[in-house]
């Protein structure tokens, strides 16, 4: 099967610290995959390298076979990668619809002239964009919330709005940075269900950073484990759960019992 | 009446504060300064109001914090708070008799003591003062016991009488333009303040109106769309008519103020794009104003004699130069944010002013002498032309400029470009990750801001007829920034309100003579404390739902939680 994303020996250093060391991750088309690891393992750094926020010192990142290493974030977005952030970063003082419209930015064209004169082409473009934004709102379950300022939405809805904004750029690959952080069990369950819908209904490949083992184990087809910037294990949830090295050396005792629970449930 | 409800400390604190503020105002000199300025002729002076005002305000504050609705408790609280204030004043006058306070406080004059004791002999006068203070508290207590509707009516009536009384002279100057209509209002005013009859009539009129309005049902019946359209057009036509005749209604002196406010609105609309929409803190905004004005000056002034263009021939050049300057300033500061941006733009503003002032550019820009005899704009065709010279004529030029610029600003705000600016303001990193080209976006913002300011500059040059480097001080930038903040950052109507409040109000406050900026400053501080989001905060466009689809207010909307 073809790979949407391939990272080839990606290394990122901050001063003397090696945040990522020759990391190799392959994301298959249409998959839901996860990256796990303790705090400071380099997970978000990896996301930042993929999306163009950081330029890795060594190695290369291929998107659909095309080298995107070192491209600026706006270029990467236009090539079909979208992301959400660990601590929600919405445009707080804009409405939900406006947030989504900003997400559509690469697909719209009007600029100064269109803004002032409102020529028919601009008006059509805006109408289409607005209709699409409304559909997007409905898809993520925020119908009727579109005119609220993002900052006034409850936490769970802000998470979903952020995903809607990412979807608005029509990505092939969606990077979700801890999508269930700060959620209670029922909200988490809803989010897991929602992520599956993204893949099944929109056909988007999804790469997730996640801390909640229950979520990771139930949703992922493949899991990559990072620790101190090194890939220490990779495989299906079942393989990761059995991997003594992951459990002992990295996940620790508490998490290991959590795994037991997940296993009992699964 | 139970003693438990009665709060001694509150009463004492409020009374002392009220008295202290009254003394403070007295020592500043306002009280004696306005002892001849009547609000209602032969009834109450502004000076007296400044003594009674704090007492009234603090007994009101004490009563608001008193939870008890028992009338006995409330009357006692009010009266005692007032009496305490009176005692403070009494003590002050007493001390003034023993110690010569004048050595330190210049305004602690015999006039002040005489005024505080109602020109009576000291014991009788001060007893009177004490009684009046207590009475004020008592009246305030009675006022708080009234039903809300009546309270609103009385409060509004009182406020209007005080305001109109204070503005008596200004209204007089305006009314002289009205011809015979002014006769209708002449009886309302006396040589100073309002006449007694006028005050009563105004009070009843305003109070009655407020009472009637408070009684009407809150929810207005929704008009049919067609009628709504008609109402909207009618309102627009009404506003248009008023705007057209405003200079004639208000007269020359007010037209000058209107022109100045208008120029600041023009610049405010421009800076609002840079600071309000795009979030780029620009402290050197006056530079583009100067560039617009100087370009017109250089191109038209026969004194310099380079080009001798007419105003309208030079106008497009001025705009282009301002636009280019905006882009040129934008280029080096694309990567800067916040404080750094502010410092660099501040420097830019000063550089432009110093260039205009320099000997080096004197042959072209005139140095300290500036540029004189700038061409006035001429409008009309063929033989029928008018040169716009007077304030009342230039008003229309400024009005046209504002309408054009405000129209563009509204359109930009509601466009993709406007959204792009705001996204950049909210979170630059994320905006860039959304595919936004921050270079083009920021440069467009600077260019549009510079363009609008340039328009303001050209009109300013034409209005004054001669320009000097000193017209383009750093303070102008600060004033424009302040009016945006006062109006509400990012809000287009806010620019209008802010400019009126910040540039218009000080002119209206001329009645307060040398205390004008004291009142003005106090008003600004109060506004930022009680309405920090601005007088007319920005409202976002409703894009998802139309007006009639919005759920009723009873619908529970969860408040913000989490981060």
């Amino acid at each position: 099967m073809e790979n949407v994303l391939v990272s080839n020996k990606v290394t990122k250093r901050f001063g003397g610290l090696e945040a990522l060391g020759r990391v190799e991750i392959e994301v298959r088309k249409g998959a839901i995959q996860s990256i796990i690891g303790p705090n400071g393992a380099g997970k978000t750094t990896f996301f930042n390298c993929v999306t163009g926020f950081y330029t890795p010192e060594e190695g290369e990142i291929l998107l659909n076979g095309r080298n995107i290493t070192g491209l600026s974030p706006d270029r990467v977005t236009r090539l079909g990668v979208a992301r959400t952030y660990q601590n929600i970063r919405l445009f707080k003082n804009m409405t939900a619809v406006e947030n989504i419209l900003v997400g559509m930015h690469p697909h719209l064209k009007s600029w100064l002239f269109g803004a002032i004169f409102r020529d028919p082409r601009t008006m059509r473009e805006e109408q289409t964009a607005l209709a699409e934004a409304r559909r997007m709102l409905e898809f993520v379950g925020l119908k009727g919330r579109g005119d609220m300022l993002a900052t006034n939405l409850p936490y769970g809805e802000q998470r979903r709005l952020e995903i809607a904004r990412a979807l608005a750029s029509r990505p092939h690959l969606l990077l979700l940075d801890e999508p269930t952080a700060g959620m209670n069990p029922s909200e988490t369950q809803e989010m897991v269900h929602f992520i599956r819908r993204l893949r099944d209904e929109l056909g988007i490949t999804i790469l997730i950073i996640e801390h909640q083992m229950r979520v990771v184990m139930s949703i992922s087809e493949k899991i990559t484990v990072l620790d101190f910037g090194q890939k220490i294990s990779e495989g299906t949830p079942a393989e990761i759960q059995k991997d003594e090295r992951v459990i002992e050396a990295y996940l620790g005792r508490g998490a290991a019992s959590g795994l037991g629970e997940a296993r009992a449930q699964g | 009446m139970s003693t438990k409800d009665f709060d001694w400390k509150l009463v004492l604190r409020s009374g002392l504060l009220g008295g202290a503020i009254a003394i403070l105002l007295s020592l500043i000199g306002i009280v004696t300064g306005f002892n001849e300025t009547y609000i209602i002729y032969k009834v109450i002076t502004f000076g007296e109001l400044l003594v009674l005002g704090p007492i009234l305000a603090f007994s009101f504050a004490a009563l608001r914090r008193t939870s008890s609705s028992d009338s006995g408790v409330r009357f006692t609280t009010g009266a005692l708070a007032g009496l305490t204030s009176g005692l403070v004043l009494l003590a002050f006058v007493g001390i003034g008799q023993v110690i010569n306070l004048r050595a330190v406080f210049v305004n602690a004059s015999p006039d002040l003591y005489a005024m505080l004791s109602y020109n009576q002999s000291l014991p009788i006068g001060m007893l009177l003062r004490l009684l009046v203070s207590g009475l004020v508290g008592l009246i305030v207590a009675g006022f708080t016991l009234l039903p809300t509707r009546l309270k609103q009516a009385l409060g509004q009536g009182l406020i209007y009488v005080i305001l109109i009384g204070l503005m008596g002279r200004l209204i007089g100057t305006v009314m002289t333009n009205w011809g015979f209509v002014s006769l209708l209002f002449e009886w309302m005013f006396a040589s100073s303040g309002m006449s007694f009859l006028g005050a009563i009539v105004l009070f009843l009129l305003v109070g009655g109106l407020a009472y009637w309005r408070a009684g009407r049902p809150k929810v207005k019946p929704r008009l049919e769309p067609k009628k709504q359209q008609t109402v909207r057009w009618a309102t627009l036509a009404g506003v248009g008519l008023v705007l057209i005749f405003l200079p004639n209604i208000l007269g020359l002196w007010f037209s000058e103020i209107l022109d100045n406010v208008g120029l600041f609105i023009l610049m405010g609309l421009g800076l609002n794009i840079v600071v309000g929409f795009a979030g780029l803190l620009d402290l050197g905004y006056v530079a583009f104003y100067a560039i617009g004005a100087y370009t017109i000056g250089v191109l038209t002034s026969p004194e310099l004699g380079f080009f001798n263009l007419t105003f309208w021939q030079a106008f497009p050049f001025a705009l282009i130069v301002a636009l280019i300057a905006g882009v040129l300033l934008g280029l080096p500061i694309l990567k800067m944010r916040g404080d750094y941006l502010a410092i660099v733009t501040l420097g830019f503003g000063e550089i432009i002013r110093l260039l205009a002032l320099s000997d080096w550019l004197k042959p072209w820009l005139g140095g300290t002498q500036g540029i004189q005899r700038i061409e006035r704009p001429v409008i009309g065709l063929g033989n029928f032309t008018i040169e716009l010279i007077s304030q009342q004529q230039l008003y229309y030029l400024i009005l046209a400029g504002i309408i054009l610029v405000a129209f563009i600003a509204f359109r930009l705000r509601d466009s993709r470009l406007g959204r792009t600016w705001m996204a950049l303001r909210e979170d630059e990193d994320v905006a860039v990750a959304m595919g936004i080209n921050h270079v083009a976006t920021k440069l467009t913002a600077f260019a549009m801001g510079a363009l609008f300011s340039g328009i303001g500059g050209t009109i300013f040059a034409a209005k004054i007829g001669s320009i000097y480097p000193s017209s383009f001080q750093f303070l102008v930038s600060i004033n424009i920034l302040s009016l945006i903040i006062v109006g509400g950052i990012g809000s287009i109507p806010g620019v209008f309100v802010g400019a009126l409040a910040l540039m218009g109000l000080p002119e209206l406050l001329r009645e307060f003579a040398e205390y004008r900026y004291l009142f003005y400053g106090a008003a600004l501080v109060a506004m930022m404390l009680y309405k920090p989001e601005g007088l007319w905060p920005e409202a976002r466009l409703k894009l998802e739902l139309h007006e009639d689809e919005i759920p009723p207010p009873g619908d529970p909307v969860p408040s913000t939680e989490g981060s």
Side-chain angles (χ1 to χ4, degrees), chain A residues 1-228:
Chain A
M1 204 183 266
E2 62 179 306
N3 290 320
V4 172
L5 184 76
V6 177
S7 87
N8 195 1
K9 292 177 184 158
V10 168
T11 302
K12 176 73 198 168
R13 293 188 200 93
F14 295 108
L17 182 84
E18 195 177 71
L20 291 174
R22 303 168 74 79
V23 169
E24 302 206 345
I25 294 178
E26 291 173 0
V27 183
R28 255 166 300 169
K29 191 174 170 63
I32 298 180
Q33 288 187 204
S34 301
I35 301 177
I36 60 171
N39 288 331
K43 305 179 302 280
T44 302
T45 307
F46 180 74
F47 268 24
N48 283 335
C49 286
V50 173
T51 49
F53 279 97
Y54 296 156
T55 306
E57 272 81 30
E58 289 160 34
E60 54 181 13
I61 297 166
L62 304 173
L63 182 72
N64 293 320
R66 181 180 169 172
N67 191 349
I68 59 164
T69 325
L71 288 186
S72 61
D74 57 311
R75 297 283 305 281
V76 176
T77 304
R78 283 166 194 271
L79 290 173
V81 180
R83 71 173 291 186
T84 66
Y85 300 83
Q86 195 172 340
N87 31 14
I88 304 173
R89 287 174 81 171
L90 287 164
F91 305 121
K92 286 184 178 160
N93 293 312
M94 299 172 80
T95 65
V97 171
E98 285 176 321
N99 268 277
I100 297 176
L101 287 173
V102 172
M104 287 178 195
H105 185 88
H107 303 289
L108 305 179
K109 289 195 178 62
S110 92
W111 199 242
L112 204 54
F113 178 86
I116 297 172
F117 295 102
R118 292 205 180 156
D119 54 308
R121 216 196 50 132
T122 304
M123 292 308 279
R124 264 201 310 280
E125 183 185 277
E126 283 286 297
Q127 286 303 323
T128 324
L130 204 54
E132 197 181 328
R134 290 205 189 101
R135 269 206 307 282
M136 205 75 81
L137 272 180
E138 201 168 346
F139 181 77
V140 300
L142 291 176
K143 193 169 193 272
R145 300 288 208 192
D147 294 329
M148 284 179 73
L149 291 186
T151 181
N152 291 339
L153 289 172
Y155 184 74
E157 295 187 359
Q158 289 195 10
R159 281 262 175 228
R160 271 183 291 170
L161 177 59
E162 206 187 20
I163 293 176
R165 183 180 66 182
L167 292 176
S169 67
R170 299 178 208 153
H172 313 297
L173 174 66
L174 180 61
L175 309 179
L176 301 175
D177 200 341
E178 297 196 30
T180 67
M183 287 187 170
N184 65 31
S186 79
E187 286 172 329
T188 304
Q189 200 52 48
E190 239 177 88
M191 183 53 82
V192 168
H193 180 70
F194 177 66
I195 293 170
R196 282 216 188 89
R197 269 183 67 207
L198 291 179
R199 196 263 311 260
D200 297 343
E201 291 178 26
L202 303 176
I204 298 170
T205 310
I206 294 167
L207 181 61
I208 307 172
I209 292 176
E210 188 50 73
H211 267 309
Q212 294 195 44
M213 282 308 139
R214 213 170 291 180
V215 174
V216 176
M217 294 305 160
S218 69
I219 206 172
S220 322
E221 282 141 31
K222 187 170 123 187
I223 298 169
T224 306
V225 187
L226 292 184
D227 193 17
F228 292 111

Side-chain angles (χ1 to χ4, degrees), chain B residues 209-278:
Chain B
L209 201 69
Y211 188 76
W212 174 71
R213 281 180 53 165
R216 280 196 315 177
K218 280 279 185 296
V219 189
K220 275 191 250 168
R222 202 182 285 278
L223 292 168
E224 308 160 37
K226 224 177 184 179
K227 271 191 184 165
Q228 263 183 338
Q229 198 77 17
T230 321
V231 168
R232 199 175 300 156
W233 280 113
T235 322
L236 212 62
V239 171
L241 276 179
V242 169
L243 282 177
I244 287 171
F245 290 110
L246 209 54
N248 295 318
I249 300 172
L250 294 178
L252 199 65
W253 187 67
F254 267 99
S255 297
E256 167 70 17
I257 298 175
L258 276 180
D259 284 1
N260 284 334
V261 171
L263 285 174
F264 272 97
I265 290 176
L266 264 180
M267 290 188 284
L269 286 169
L271 188 62
N272 191 43
I273 289 180
V274 183
V275 178
F277 293 173

